[in-house]
Amino acid sequence: ELKVEQNPLFLSMQEGKNYTIYCNYSTTSDRLYWYRQDPGKSLESLFVLLSNGAVKQEGRLMASLDTKARLSTLHITAAVHDLSATYFCAVYFGNEKLTFGTGTRLTIIP
Amino acid sequence: EAQVTQNPRYLITVTGKKLTVTCSQNMNHEYMSWYRQDPGLGLRQIYYSMNVEVTDKGDVPEGYKVSRKEKRNFPLILESPSPNQTSLYFCASRSTGEGYGYTFGSGTRLTVV
């Protein structure tokens, strides 16, 4: 069974702090996506990670992929209020089958 | 503007009354998918399409139908909606090539009473 687990489900952190969201998956895959969703809005693509060891950075967000450990991380550096949102990882299992994690609701406190 | 357009945004209907949610993309994308989003469950794939006349089931296809007669359109059909299909639905599309992510529509909030 294909499973994608995100941790934590809820995260409340102070501005200026660093934190990491984890995405574990159960079956081999070499492609993983990260999305952001603001309340009542659609999903916005953040990163596409295509191979083992892939690392991508955009502003205060950095994502990495370890296909051997079946683990991806989304690292937040020096958090600011604008980063408050729900973050989803999604794992590609072939033939356009995409399985999403349950999401991490991130709240940045001033 | 490149986008995925869903209609309607909000819909309240009664059990058993057939409905269609439309989805159209203007980016000439080959791949399209439908997802439903429920609290605590994330997004789950309903159906996907890899090209015109090529569709396949996702993880939760029961109670839904799709068609892909034209490249730009991928409607979701509920022949006999039930209350357990109350959800937030998203259509998404992407281009071929592994480096491309999905572009999502704005969503359709469906309530079946």
Side-chain angles (χ1 to χ4, degrees):
Chain A
E1 184 186 352
L2 304 176
K3 284 189 177 180
V4 179
E5 294 183 346
Q6 277 184 245
N7 288 290
L9 297 183
F10 299 93
L11 177 55
S12 182
M13 54 190 292
Q14 286 186 311
E15 278 190 329
K17 299 290 187 182
N18 304 332
Y19 211 81
T20 300
I21 298 170
Y22 298 89
C23 175
N24 292 274
Y25 53 98
S26 61
T27 306
T28 301
S29 171
D30 58 3
R31 192 187 318 175
L32 188 142
Y33 303 86
W34 283 97
Y35 288 91
R36 168 185 171 143
Q37 185 180 36
D38 292 303
K41 303 289 187 181
S42 185
L43 282 84
E44 173 191 353
S45 179
L46 295 175
F47 301 109
V48 181
L49 302 170
L50 295 178
S51 61
N52 187 42
V55 177
K56 289 198 173 178
Q57 183 164 5
E58 181 74 34
R60 300 174 188 274
L61 299 178
M62 183 173 72
S64 67
L65 178 62
D66 182 342
T67 59
K68 293 178 182 176
R70 298 176 187 168
L71 171 69
S72 179
T73 60
L74 180 66
H75 187 72
I76 302 146
T77 302
V80 293
H81 180 70
D82 286 353
L83 291 178
S84 294
T86 299
Y87 293 86
F88 292 95
C89 65
V91 183
Y92 182 81
F93 290 110
N95 292 326
E96 293 312 292
K97 279 192 158 298
L98 202 61
T99 298
F100 279 76
T102 51
T104 296
R105 184 177 295 180
L106 174 63
T107 304
I108 309 295
I109 303 167
Chain B
E1 180 188 353
Q3 60 186 357
V4 177
T5 303
Q6 290 179 233
N7 279 296
R9 291 291 307 276
Y10 301 92
L11 178 60
I12 302 175
T13 190
V14 296
T15 299
K17 186 177 181 182
K18 181 178 178 179
L19 65 92
T20 299
V21 183
T22 64
C23 173
S24 181
Q25 49 93 4
N26 62 1
M27 297 166 281
N28 201 37
H29 285 170
E30 286 77 11
Y31 300 146
M32 298 186 76
S33 275
W34 276 103
Y35 295 86
R36 61 177 289 174
Q37 184 177 24
D38 301 289
L41 296 176
L43 282 85
R44 293 178 293 169
Q45 193 174 39
I46 303 171
Y47 270 95
Y48 62 92
S49 170
M50 298 178 77
N51 215 324
V52 175
E53 302 292 1
V54 181
T55 63
D56 207 347
K57 297 176 181 178
D59 295 321
V60 288
E62 294 79 18
Y64 305 95
K65 286 175 57 177
V66 293
S67 68
R68 187 96 182 270
K69 293 183 170 59
E70 304 167 280
K71 197 172 187 178
R72 63 184 295 127
N73 296 323
F74 190 43
L76 180 69
I77 303 155
L78 285 73
E79 294 270 2
S80 183
S82 61
N84 65 11
Q85 293 178 297
T86 292
S87 187
L88 178 59
Y89 291 87
F90 286 102
C91 179
S93 73
R94 77 173 188 98
S95 182
T96 55
E98 59 183 13
Y100 295 98
Y102 272 94
T103 300
F104 281 78
S106 299
T108 295
R109 187 166 292 281
L110 172 66
T111 302
V112 183
V113 298

